[in-house]
Amino acid sequence: MNKNTFALKGTICYSRDPNTLITAENAWVVCENGVSAGVFQELPEKYRGIPCRDTKGSLIIPGLTDLHLHAPQYTFRATGMDLELLDWLNTYTFPEESKYADPAYAEAAYRIFADDLKRSATTRAAVFATLHVEATELLMDLLEDTGLITFVGKVNMDRNSSPSLEEESAAASAEATIRWLSEIKGRYKNTRPILTPRFTPSCTDELMKELAVIQKEHQLPVQSHLSENLSEIAWVQELCPNTRFYGEAYEQFGLFGGETCPAIMAHCVYSSDEEIALMKKQGVYIAHCPSSNTNIASGIAPVRRYLDEGMHVGLGSDIAGGFSLSILRAMADAVQVSKLRWRLIDNTMKPLTLEEIFYIATIGGGSFFGRVGSFEKGYAFDAVILDDTNLPHPQAISSKERLERLIYLSDDRNITGKYVSGKKIF
Amino acid sequence: MNKNTFALKGTICYSRDPNTLITAENAWVVCENGVSAGVFQELPEKYRGIPCRDTKGSLIIPGLTDLHLHAPQYTFRATGMDLELLDWLNTYTFPEESKYADPAYAEAAYRIFADDLKRSATTRAAVFATLHVEATELLMDLLEDTGLITFVGKVNMDRNSSPSLEEESAAASAEATIRWLSEIKGRYKNTRPILTPRFTPSCTDELMKELAVIQKEHQLPVQSHLSENLSEIAWVQELCPNTRFYGEAYEQFGLFGGETCPAIMAHCVYSSDEEIALMKKQGVYIAHCPSSNTNIASGIAPVRRYLDEGMHVGLGSDIAGGFSLSILRAMADAVQVSKLRWRLIDNTMKPLTLEEIFYIATIGGGSFFGRVGSFEKGYAFDAVILDDTNLPHPQAISSKERLERLIYLSDDRNITGKYVSGKKIF
């Protein structure tokens, strides 16, 4: 028997594909060496006697993936939510991110973030830090301690920000990035670097060229923002007159997916047909951030289309455009805005189903990390235990209904266990 | 000194008008005989020595009002949220409401609801029961025990429902209503009856005529649904060809506001100019239910317009079109959908501000119950204590920001105290 072989027993829920939610009551899911050996209604002979955590009927679901969030914005989430975007950036985002030049402040703030992320249902995340190398490394240290598996990006930005939150030049930004990569080399097991040009308006062509060189040399994935709102798209068109659409502003530097450059693009609310075709061809991951797109009044992304086209879609909390770190909440938010989109924008695009949003939150985003987000044999053993005994009901309800109630009604009290690649987090 | 004179000490927040949020740190709000004597930065001489609950800096806000919810739907909230309206009604609403013919089931279910409502930030509510007299009385008994002040309606419906959830005739419905009113007469201190024709499609003209007689004789307020979605409006037009707009279907029977018939109409998503003018003239209360309007894909109500016209607007959880009993959450939802409305429907109607939604949730809905929803002198002493120590932050934040964080991030753990008309609930 492999080392680290054990089982969880309970009501197991996982996705096979966007239309198939599998539920198994009173069943076992077995972990062997960090990987799922499958779900069993009866424990096979060869596993008899392995350690078993009996959750007494709790739901056991694959870990959830948060494909887009800004860790330094966690401190001011849920404030200034009635400001318009520019006021919000100037009042909160830029002054607050500037404070991360101070490692003591960064550590205090990032510790709150890391503690809460650890307790959440998220097992994998792609995270923006700030432009500050030292603070980014502190964040990576803290995330490594959580046991979660994350990509973390030191942010690059050399234009169009506030004076206190901008790098001196493309060369300085590139140099800081190289120093960061060199300082963290070999330092972490679960925490990986990801190249993070903030978004096209923040990065000169010169910087993008430097980043392309670094990307190739270090074989890094990329994360950024794309087509979040119409004025941003018009601005990019002005800044990059040689491009036909926003995505090309990344693509022209080789920073937009493809085999050697996995990429996550947050939002994609207003992607054009051409942009969508390019994302599809390049296998770009779309981080759908329903709460943020609502709060910043960006609009509603056409997730139904992305799903139907077979593109990669996951969910992002987008802290602090979004105010909640919970990807369970993001699932509910995504279903809700898909209904408003259907009603208000395009009634040919049906709202998302429970099966679809569960797929997106698990396999959809998880696959950016490899075979992640399911309990089918061979998937990384990322699991979350959800106890719903504090949600009483007089009538009988199905496992699917229990899952749906937890998506809409749960908070951290319901999350009673978590495993990442077979490692017990709590 | 009056009996029941005491103070709460903490960070006091209350509304004066839709644009004015008053915050007072380290201040006292005094209750005298169930009524607020005002907020004081220094406790006046005459109150020295009165009992004081020092909340150690917690926020103290006026109690919140829930102007619209269906108590029997609480059991199945947050299930079937990806079904379309008719499927949802047939799968969940009608079969579940039918069960309330059984008093034992009703008691088990309503007890869960009443317990949760008691622990919430809601101090006043207008509640739909079912058509069943005995179950409605059980609900009223349980609500009376909570100490909250509520209006509860036995529902009237004699057409267009499911066979198991319809009264035999207009006469039978009226008779049951009269029996209900007679059985509860003098039985409660805090729990009052409200006339509750489900909505026009559920009530024949004959029934409406009977209800009008009962309304006058018993001087009852009325609650119902109005202009929730377009097909409903078209249906009402078919059923009531003599009316120019939906609201007239109530108005023609004298059940639509005015001095002798206070009325709450839920939703008003698609009210026409004429309907709005009539609601304004009659002082009809609009129960804005943002979560429900999203979940059932009704649309987004023009709350900005209602507010700017000086109409009565409060919030409704609309359990179980809405899935959350929290009016704090409804406040966040209302701001969120107002942003999507601004972006997607009408950019002349600005999103709601924090000040505005706080006013709507407190005074806006509270005024249906009299002088309720503020701490200004003379208002009923409804208060909620909100402890935010589980939401740490490294930076200094203002009282307004603390309030906003609680609106977006709190759950029942943050609600550590509640008073209704000066009576301590917990």
Side-chain angles (χ1 to χ4, degrees):
Chain A
M1 192 65 65
N2 265 311
K3 273 197 303 185
N4 195 21
T5 298
F6 64 91
L8 302 180
K9 191 179 178 195
T11 300
I12 297 166
C13 303
Y14 61 102
S15 243
R16 178 160 294 154
D17 59 57
N19 301 311
T20 314
L21 170 69
I22 297 166
T23 63
E25 284 93 48
N26 217 15
W28 283 265
V29 57
V30 172
C31 173
E32 253 191 289
N33 213 12
V35 171
S36 174
V39 173
F40 306 96
Q41 207 58 62
E42 304 258 335
L43 203 60
E45 185 67 44
K46 68 171 184 167
Y47 295 124
R48 298 280 158 87
I50 63 172
C52 177
R53 179 171 176 179
D54 185 347
T55 69
K56 311 286 181 195
S58 284
L59 260 60
I60 304 169
I61 65 169
L64 306 179
T65 292
D66 189 339
L67 275 188
H68 183 64
L69 73 93
H70 296 262
Q73 298 181 14
Y74 192 63
T75 48
F76 64 88
R77 72 195 187 285
T79 45
M81 301 296 285
D82 59 356
L83 298 183
E84 294 191 25
L85 177 59
L86 286 181
D87 288 338
W88 182 75
L89 288 172
N90 290 323
T91 310
Y92 290 99
T93 309
F94 294 148
E96 189 63 26
E97 286 202 15
S98 302
K99 294 184 191 166
Y100 288 73
D102 172 9
Y105 187 82
E107 186 167 355
Y110 279 150
R111 194 174 292 282
I112 294 169
F113 165 71
D115 284 352
D116 285 1
L117 191 67
K118 181 175 177 175
R119 280 204 304 269
S120 76
T122 299
T123 53
R124 314 258 172 164
V127 179
F128 278 55
T130 62
L131 58 80
H132 312 94
V133 171
E134 195 168 351
T136 303
E137 294 178 15
L138 274 167
L139 173 61
M140 295 177 86
D141 292 349
L142 288 163
L143 285 174
E144 181 74 8
D145 289 345
T146 64
L148 311 193
I149 295 178
T150 58
F151 284 106
V152 177
K154 173 224 164 311
V155 171
N156 298 98
M157 46 201 300
D158 70 340
R159 68 172 170 188
N160 290 324
S161 183
S162 71
S164 65
L165 194 68
E166 202 170 278
E167 292 168 299
E168 269 175 35
S169 64
S173 180
E175 198 181 307
T177 306
I178 291 164
R179 176 162 69 87
W180 165 57
L181 292 170
S182 122
E183 287 177 2
I184 61 166
K185 199 168 182 183
R187 189 152 142 189
Y188 307 114
K189 186 168 165 276
N190 292 322
T191 315
R192 310 168 201 171
I194 183 167
L195 212 56
T196 308
R198 189 170 196 128
F199 71 148
T200 297
S202 300
C203 300
T204 60
D205 284 6
E206 201 185 341
L207 175 53
M208 288 296 205
K209 275 178 212 155
E210 298 264 17
L211 294 181
V213 173
I214 295 170
Q215 190 278 323
K216 277 202 189 64
E217 188 179 330
H218 294 263
Q219 295 284 304
L220 294 176
V222 170
Q223 61 182 354
S224 196
H225 298 87
L226 184 67
S227 298
E228 182 173 1
N229 76 53
L230 295 170
S231 52
E232 172 207 24
I233 292 171
W235 193 15
V236 170
Q237 186 58 52
E238 244 174 72
L239 292 165
C240 309
N242 60 316
T243 59
R244 287 170 305 155
F245 50 87
Y246 190 167
E248 272 197 347
Y250 300 111
E251 165 66 8
Q252 64 184 340
F253 301 104
L255 299 171
F256 199 65
E259 262 184 35
T260 58
C261 179
I264 300 168
M265 291 287 148
H267 307 307
C268 306
V269 176
Y270 296 102
S271 291
S272 64
D273 289 347
E274 275 182 300
E275 185 165 282
I276 290 170
L278 184 61
M279 283 194 283
K280 190 172 172 179
K281 174 169 163 255
Q282 300 284 85
V284 168
Y285 275 72
I286 297 160
H288 174 46
C289 306
S291 176
S292 168
N293 296 161
T294 298
N295 295 327
I296 307 179
S298 303
I300 305 174
V303 178
R304 154 72 52 223
R305 174 168 179 188
Y306 298 147
L307 202 60
D308 288 354
E309 296 226 19
M311 298 169 74
H312 294 300
V313 196
L315 287 171
S317 65
D318 193 20
I319 295 292
F323 52 81
S324 169
L325 199 53
S326 167
I327 294 297
L328 291 161
R329 167 105 189 222
M331 293 164 75
D333 293 338
V335 173
Q336 288 193 297
V337 298
S338 77
K339 289 175 179 169
L340 287 178
R341 196 178 201 287
W342 171 78
R343 167 66 66 193
L344 302 174
I345 303 179
D346 182 353
N347 69 9
T348 68
M349 288 203 202
K350 284 204 167 186
L352 297 175
T353 65
L354 179 69
E355 284 79 1
E356 287 167 336
I357 199 58
F358 189 68
Y359 173 86
I360 288 172
T362 55
I363 298 174
S367 61
F368 188 76
F369 292 79
R371 292 202 77 190
V372 172
S374 178
F375 289 136
E376 299 215 312
K377 194 175 169 177
Y379 274 79
F381 193 88
D382 285 17
V384 172
I385 301 170
L386 297 171
D387 179 343
D388 58 359
T389 48
N390 70 338
L391 298 170
H393 47 89
Q395 80 281 35
I397 63 174
S398 68
S399 298
K400 179 181 159 177
E401 287 168 333
R402 290 177 62 197
L403 175 62
E404 192 174 15
R405 277 159 58 96
L406 283 159
I407 289 169
Y408 284 92
L409 302 174
S410 66
D411 57 47
D412 56 278
R413 284 170 288 192
N414 301 95
I415 302 166
T416 53
K418 181 152 97 170
Y419 295 79
V420 179
S421 271
K423 183 176 185 288
K424 183 177 175 178
I425 308 299
F426 57 86
Chain B
M1 189 67 62
N2 266 310
K3 273 197 304 187
N4 196 21
T5 298
F6 63 92
L8 302 180
K9 190 178 179 198
T11 300
I12 297 167
C13 304
Y14 62 103
S15 241
R16 177 159 296 154
D17 59 58
N19 301 311
T20 315
L21 170 69
I22 297 167
T23 63
E25 284 93 50
N26 218 13
W28 282 265
V29 57
V30 173
C31 173
E32 252 190 292
N33 212 13
V35 170
S36 175
V39 173
F40 306 97
Q41 206 59 62
E42 304 258 337
L43 202 60
E45 185 68 43
K46 69 171 184 169
Y47 296 124
R48 297 281 157 87
I50 64 173
C52 177
R53 179 171 176 180
D54 185 347
T55 68
K56 311 285 180 198
S58 284
L59 261 61
I60 303 170
I61 65 169
L64 307 180
T65 292
D66 189 340
L67 275 188
H68 184 64
L69 74 92
H70 296 262
Q73 298 180 13
Y74 192 63
T75 48
F76 64 87
R77 72 195 187 284
T79 46
M81 301 296 286
D82 60 355
L83 297 183
E84 296 190 24
L85 177 59
L86 285 180
D87 289 339
W88 183 76
L89 288 173
N90 291 323
T91 310
Y92 290 97
T93 310
F94 294 147
E96 189 63 26
E97 286 201 16
S98 303
K99 293 182 191 167
Y100 288 72
D102 172 10
Y105 186 82
E107 185 167 357
Y110 279 150
R111 193 174 292 282
I112 294 169
F113 165 70
D115 284 352
D116 286 0
L117 191 67
K118 181 175 176 173
R119 279 203 306 268
S120 77
T122 299
T123 53
R124 314 256 171 165
V127 180
F128 278 55
T130 62
L131 57 82
H132 312 94
V133 172
E134 193 168 353
T136 302
E137 294 178 15
L138 274 167
L139 173 60
M140 294 177 86
D141 293 348
L142 288 163
L143 286 174
E144 181 75 8
D145 289 345
T146 63
L148 310 193
I149 295 179
T150 58
F151 283 107
V152 177
K154 171 227 164 314
V155 171
N156 298 97
M157 46 201 301
D158 70 339
R159 67 174 172 187
N160 290 323
S161 182
S162 71
S164 64
L165 193 68
E166 202 169 279
E167 293 168 298
E168 270 174 36
S169 64
S173 180
E175 198 180 307
T177 305
I178 291 164
R179 176 161 69 85
W180 165 58
L181 292 170
S182 122
E183 287 178 1
I184 60 165
K185 199 166 183 182
R187 188 152 141 189
Y188 308 114
K189 184 169 165 278
N190 292 322
T191 315
R192 310 168 202 172
I194 183 167
L195 211 57
T196 308
R198 189 170 195 127
F199 70 149
T200 297
S202 300
C203 301
T204 59
D205 285 5
E206 201 186 341
L207 174 53
M208 288 295 205
K209 276 179 213 156
E210 298 264 17
L211 294 181
V213 173
I214 294 170
Q215 190 277 324
K216 276 201 191 64
E217 187 179 330
H218 295 262
Q219 295 284 306
L220 294 176
V222 169
Q223 60 181 353
S224 195
H225 298 87
L226 183 68
S227 298
E228 181 173 2
N229 76 52
L230 296 170
S231 52
E232 172 206 22
I233 292 172
W235 193 15
V236 170
Q237 186 57 53
E238 244 175 71
L239 292 165
C240 309
N242 60 315
T243 59
R244 288 169 307 154
F245 50 87
Y246 190 167
E248 273 198 346
Y250 300 111
E251 165 65 7
Q252 64 183 339
F253 301 105
L255 299 171
F256 199 63
E259 261 184 36
T260 58
C261 180
I264 300 168
M265 291 287 149
H267 307 306
C268 305
V269 177
Y270 296 102
S271 291
S272 64
D273 290 348
E274 276 182 300
E275 185 165 281
I276 290 171
L278 184 60
M279 283 194 283
K280 191 172 170 178
K281 175 171 162 255
Q282 300 284 85
V284 168
Y285 275 72
I286 297 160
H288 174 46
C289 306
S291 175
S292 168
N293 295 162
T294 299
N295 294 327
I296 306 180
S298 303
I300 304 173
V303 178
R304 154 72 50 221
R305 174 167 180 188
Y306 298 146
L307 202 61
D308 288 352
E309 296 226 17
M311 298 169 73
H312 294 301
V313 196
L315 288 171
S317 65
D318 193 21
I319 294 294
F323 52 81
S324 169
L325 199 53
S326 168
I327 294 296
L328 291 161
R329 168 104 188 223
M331 293 164 76
D333 293 339
V335 173
Q336 288 193 297
V337 298
S338 76
K339 291 174 180 171
L340 287 179
R341 196 178 200 288
W342 171 77
R343 168 65 67 194
L344 301 174
I345 302 180
D346 182 353
N347 69 9
T348 68
M349 289 203 203
K350 283 205 170 187
L352 297 175
T353 64
L354 180 68
E355 284 79 2
E356 289 168 335
I357 199 60
F358 189 68
Y359 173 86
I360 289 172
T362 54
I363 298 175
S367 61
F368 189 76
F369 292 79
R371 292 202 77 190
V372 172
S374 179
F375 289 136
E376 299 215 312
K377 194 175 171 177
Y379 274 79
F381 193 87
D382 284 19
V384 172
I385 301 171
L386 297 172
D387 178 342
D388 58 358
T389 48
N390 71 337
L391 298 170
H393 47 90
Q395 81 281 36
I397 63 175
S398 68
S399 297
K400 178 180 160 180
E401 287 168 334
R402 289 177 62 197
L403 175 63
E404 192 173 16
R405 278 159 58 98
L406 283 160
I407 289 169
Y408 283 92
L409 302 174
S410 66
D411 56 47
D412 56 279
R413 284 170 289 192
N414 301 97
I415 302 165
T416 55
K418 182 154 97 172
Y419 295 78
V420 179
S421 271
K423 182 177 186 289
K424 183 177 175 180
I425 308 299
F426 57 86

